[in-house]
């Protein structure tokens, strides 16, 4: 086994994607998104990534990093993927990761893996414990009939896409940021959600290479933004993925969340997508209930795991 630092070149990104696809062909890697995540990290973030070779062939990738979406003092997120024929290297890969991250003295390690992946079982054996799980769900628009769900909007409300609004003006962006951060604080989650500063949200969200302004819908009462749902492009064929969906507390129980979802599904169909993918935390029952009613089908859960305290293996 030979281990090489990831050099963030186009060639290494392609190798990373090939290994990921071989390890988990059911979860495609979008290289443009991975680059965007790498390029929009804070300067203070830790990020060390490596390629694993055996017999002259790349058979694995591994990394540890400051959690991107929810950074916490003293926490590092670990990740590794191995081609099926290279699973005998798991102990060696894990030992290398533990040795390399030790100088950072992390208080806890985090990992996110699907429950049907071999990494899940391996990390549990290393002492990781489950914190929470969320489900990816898929809706096939070919079999979807919106008619049973359609209701008139309250007369004072309107649904408009971001593309028809002055979304490139900072004043509008700050109002949108205020809406989204307010909604995120209400998302049911086992772990508290740490909110990004405005400038970080601005760079990471509005410069996302998969941003689809015409598929990013706002519920408006006059000029006040009171709800949102958003679709993003996907590397999967004929697929769009859903981001945050939510409505301010003051405007709930008026059918706005469902109306926003239906408007997004109508757009997706006209856009030429067949599949819509979304993800929900297991305790977010209101949104899970809406998605289940619409016909979204759950896939195996993605599980957040934590190792705390971090102990070095003897020897």
């Amino acid at each position: 086994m030979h281990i090489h630092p990831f050099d963030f070149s186009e060639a290494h990104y392609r190798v990373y994607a090939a290994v990921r696809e071989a390890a988990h062909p059911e979860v495609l890697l979008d290289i443009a998104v991975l680059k965007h995540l790498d390029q929009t990290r804070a300067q203070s973030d830790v990020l060390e990534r490596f390629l694993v070779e055996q017999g002259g062939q790349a058979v694995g990738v591994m990394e540890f990093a400051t959690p991107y979406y929810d950074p916490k003092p003293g926490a590092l997120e670990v990740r590794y993927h191995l081609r099926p024929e290279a699973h005998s290297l798991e102990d060696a890969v894990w030992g290398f990761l533990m040795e390399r991250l030790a100088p950072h003295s992390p208080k806890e390690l985090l990992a996110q893996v699907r429950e049907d992946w071999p990494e899940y079982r391996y990390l549990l054996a290393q002492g990781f414990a489950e914190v929470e799980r969320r489900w990816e769900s898929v809706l096939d628009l070919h079999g979807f009939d919106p008619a049973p769900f359609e209701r008139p909007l309250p007369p004072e409300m309107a649904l408009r896409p971001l593309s028809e609004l002055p979304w490139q003006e900072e004043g509008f962006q700050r109002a949108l940021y205020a809406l989204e951060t307010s909604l995120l604080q209400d998302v049911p989650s086992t772990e508290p959600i740490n909110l990004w500063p405005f400038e970080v949200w601005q760079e990471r969200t509005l410069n996302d290479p998969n941003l689809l302004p015409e598929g990013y819908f706002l519920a408006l009462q006059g000029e006040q933004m009171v709800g949102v749902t958003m679709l993003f492009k996907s590397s999967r064929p004929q697929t769009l993925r859903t981001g945050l969906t939510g409505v301010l507390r003051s405007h709930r129980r008026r059918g706005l969340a469902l109306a926003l979802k239906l408007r997004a599904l109508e757009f997706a169909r006209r856009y030429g997508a067949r599949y819509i993918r979304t993800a929900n935390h297991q305790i977010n029952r209101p949104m899970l209930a809406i998605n289940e009613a619409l016909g979204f089908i759950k896939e195996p859960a993605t599980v957040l795991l934590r190792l705390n305290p971090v102990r070095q293996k003897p020897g």
Side-chain angles (χ1 to χ4, degrees), residues 88-103:
S88 61
L89 301 178
E90 228 166 6
D91 284 336
V93 163
W94 184 247
F96 177 87
L97 273 177
M98 292 295 286
E99 181 180 337
R100 287 300 296 252
L101 64 79

Side-chain angles (χ1 to χ4, degrees), residues 261-290:
K261 295 282 283 190
L262 291 174
R263 180 68 178 275
L265 297 180
E266 175 193 357
F267 165 81
R269 181 175 283 168
R270 289 189 282 104
Y271 186 78
R274 175 170 179 175
Y275 303 102
I276 302 295
R277 301 185 67 86
T278 190
N280 301 105
H281 294 280
Q282 71 182 112
I283 62 173
N284 190 354
R285 284 307 312 168
M287 194 52 63
L288 280 168
I290 288 177

